[in-house]
Amino acid sequence: MSLFFLSVKKIRYRHYHLRIRGEIIDFVVQYETFINGKWFSVVRYDTSHGFAHRDILSLKGEKRKTPIFVSDKNDALTFAENDIKDNWEVYKQRFIQVAKR
C-alpha cells in the first residue's frame, strides 16, 4: 500500500494505491485546492464502483463521473497521475468558473 500527500501553495495532491505482486488492485488520486479558507476536491480518479473513472467535482457538491477507457489499472493509475499533474490548473479554472454561474 502506498499513500502520498503533498500540500504546496494552496494545492493538495493525494495519492493512494494498493499494489499486490506488481499489479494495482485499487487506487485514488485526487487534486484539491484551497479557496476562501477551505479545501475543496476538484478532480478525483479512483477504482470504486469496480472500474477506473474520473470524478469532476463542483463547489456546489455536484459530481460528474466519466470513464477513462483504460482497462488495465496500472495504466489507469499512470494516466490519472499524469493528467492531474499536467492539467491541475485547467481543472482549477473550470472549478472556479462553474462556481461563478
Side-chain angles (χ1 to χ4, degrees):
M1 177 169 59
S2 176
L3 178 63
F4 177 72
F5 173 82
L6 174 65
S7 180
V8 179
K9 296 184 182 181
K10 301 183 180 183
I11 297 166
R12 261 193 327 210
Y13 174 81
R14 294 180 187 252
H15 177 121
Y16 156 83
H17 72 265
L18 175 62
R19 181 185 314 260
I20 298 176
R21 295 186 183 115
E23 183 179 339
I24 296 295
I25 305 301
D26 188 34
F27 72 82
V28 177
V29 180
Q30 180 168 286
Y31 159 60
E32 301 169 357
T33 191
F34 194 75
I35 300 173
N36 296 330
K38 187 174 177 186
W39 286 102
F40 293 94
S41 299
V42 177
V43 63
R44 174 179 54 247
Y45 284 88
D46 64 63
T47 53
S48 65
H49 311 294
F51 65 101
H53 62 278
R54 174 180 55 201
D55 292 322
I56 298 176
L57 306 147
S58 80
L59 191 61
K60 298 174 184 176
E62 300 164 337
K63 180 174 25 175
R64 188 177 67 185
K65 187 176 304 303
T66 59
I68 58 172
F69 304 108
V70 178
S71 58
D72 180 88
K73 289 181 181 174
N74 290 346
D75 293 339
L77 175 59
T78 299
F79 175 84
E81 292 169 330
N82 290 334
D83 182 53
I84 289 177
K85 289 176 184 174
D86 293 343
N87 298 304
W88 67 269
E89 291 171 300
V90 172
Y91 286 121
K92 182 174 183 171
Q93 289 173 354
R94 287 182 190 161
F95 185 81
I96 292 168
Q97 288 172 352
V98 168
K100 291 180 180 178
R101 294 183 195 160

